[in-house]
Amino acid sequence: MDRRFLITGAFFGLLSVIIGAFAAHGLKPLLSEAANNSFETGVKYQMYHALLFLLLGSVQRKQFNFRKQVFFLLLFGVICFSGSIYLLATNNLTPIDFTGIALVTPLGGTLLIGGWVFLLIEFIKIKRK
């Protein structure tokens, strides 16, 4: 078990439920349908990766060579991807113009893809019995 993965997964899961509930009940009437859909995408991806963190936290350390790289790729990927979506979707509700961070979203997506690539490499290396 890896405590760092488990704590991060639980934290991201908790936040995605809180943020998702806030969006569904508080933001929905204030946002356009497109902004609501974008916000929901951010929440979904955050939860998907929260579950992945919990799963990876359960894997034995010796079976996972790229643990540190995957952790940071996924951590910063979720923050950049979902975080930028939250800010961009609620841009019209704040006095701050967040459109300048629009390129952070694909950067976050690229980091998430990188994390998954490292996992794929690890799984390919597993020897068949």
Side-chain angles (χ1 to χ4, degrees):
M1 289 211 165
D2 189 321
R3 189 170 178 258
R4 175 179 53 171
F5 275 86
L6 295 173
I7 290 170
T8 304
F11 180 72
F12 277 163
L14 172 67
L15 274 182
S16 68
V17 171
I18 292 170
I19 292 169
F22 174 69
H25 299 289
L27 290 178
K28 191 169 189 170
L30 304 174
L31 299 177
S32 68
E33 185 177 341
N36 269 311
N37 289 339
S38 291
F39 202 96
E40 188 176 308
T41 298
V43 172
K44 285 179 186 177
Y45 273 74
Q46 183 174 332
M47 181 57 83
Y48 298 153
H49 289 89
L51 296 172
L52 179 60
F53 272 107
L54 293 173
L55 178 68
L56 293 175
S58 308
V59 176
Q60 292 181 2
R61 285 179 178 259
K62 63 183 176 186
Q63 297 174 338
F64 189 11
N65 294 327
F66 294 115
R67 188 177 254 350
K68 192 176 200 177
Q69 293 91 330
V70 169
F71 178 82
F72 286 110
L73 285 168
L74 295 177
L75 174 69
F76 292 117
V78 169
I79 291 169
C80 291
F81 184 80
S82 293
S84 65
I85 286 177
Y86 299 149
L87 294 174
L88 291 167
T90 59
N91 192 52
N92 293 337
L93 303 177
T94 66
I96 302 169
D97 184 12
F98 291 111
T99 55
I101 66 161
L103 293 178
V104 173
T105 308
L107 170 66
T110 302
L111 294 172
L112 292 173
I113 291 168
W116 284 98
V117 167
F118 273 103
L119 287 175
L120 178 62
I121 291 167
E122 283 297 311
F123 296 152
I124 290 171
K125 289 179 176 178
I126 294 173
K127 299 204 189 291
R128 293 184 187 181
K129 291 184 179 187

